[in-house]
């Protein structure tokens, strides 16, 4: 490959990682569970690892996106998909149990964000 050809492909190669990056919360349930399984042996120390931090970031980002959507729906006077309290807690065990409740074949097609939304619908349904 000559220098001219390299110069044409270099911008595309440099942009590729940015174009392929997913937004936080877009990781699949299957990927999340696979990464979590590799960290479980560390126990509470798992959150101190870069991979543990990334998984925590996925859940936090999904929660923030969810809250922003619910707040926007409320502000616009629209019916929300769930009715959570202003603050609440979700333990890692509760979260992992929810993710594991999805059948294995569909885990690749469900994002962490979608799973978070579904969990909130189950935990905090709106009154009829």
């Amino acid at each position: 490959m000559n220098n001219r050809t390299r110069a044409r492909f270099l911008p595309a190669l440099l942009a590729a990682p940015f174009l392929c990056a997913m937004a936080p919360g877009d990781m699949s349930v299957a990927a999340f569970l696979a990464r979590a399984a590799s960290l479980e042996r560390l126990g509470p120390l798992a959150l101190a690892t870069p991979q543990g931090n990334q998984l925590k970031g996925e859940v936090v980002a999904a929660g923030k996106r969810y809250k922003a959507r619910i707040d926007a729906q409320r502000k616009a006077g629209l019916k929300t998909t769930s009715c959570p309290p202003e603050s609440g807690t979700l333990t890692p065990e509760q979260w992992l149990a929810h993710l594991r409740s999805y059948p294995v074949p569909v885990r690749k097609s469900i994002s962490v964000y979608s799973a978070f939304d579904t969990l909130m619908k189950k935990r905090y349904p709106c009154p009829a």
Side-chain angles (χ1 to χ4, degrees), residues 1-127:
M1 190 181 281
N2 64 34
N3 286 341
R4 232 172 134 175
T5 306
R6 282 188 204 141
R8 283 193 302 180
F9 288 109
L10 187 60
L13 291 173
L14 293 174
F18 298 107
L19 296 174
C20 297
M22 295 185 311
D26 285 344
M27 179 186 290
S28 74
V29 168
F32 189 98
L33 287 173
R35 291 179 185 179
S38 70
L39 293 172
E40 281 184 312
R41 61 181 167 70
L42 299 174
L45 297 175
L47 288 176
T49 67
Q51 195 171 25
N53 247 347
Q54 180 192 16
L55 293 180
K56 180 181 175 185
E58 286 288 318
V59 179
V60 168
K64 286 181 179 179
R65 282 174 59 187
Y66 166 81
K67 183 166 177 11
R69 191 191 81 230
I70 293 293
D71 289 348
Q73 288 173 331
R74 285 178 177 159
K75 187 176 180 181
L78 301 173
K79 184 177 178 190
T80 59
T81 57
S82 57
C83 295
E86 280 302 311
S87 65
T89 59
L90 178 64
T91 68
E93 293 79 15
Q94 291 169 324
W95 175 243
L96 290 172
H98 173 68
L99 295 183
R100 289 179 180 129
S101 73
Y102 287 98
V104 174
V106 300
R107 290 178 182 174
K108 285 184 180 181
S109 64
I110 299 172
S111 70
V112 168
Y113 174 71
S114 293
F116 191 91
D117 186 58
T118 301
L119 179 61
M120 293 299 104
K121 288 176 189 174
K122 286 179 186 177
R123 285 183 79 175
Y124 305 111
C126 293

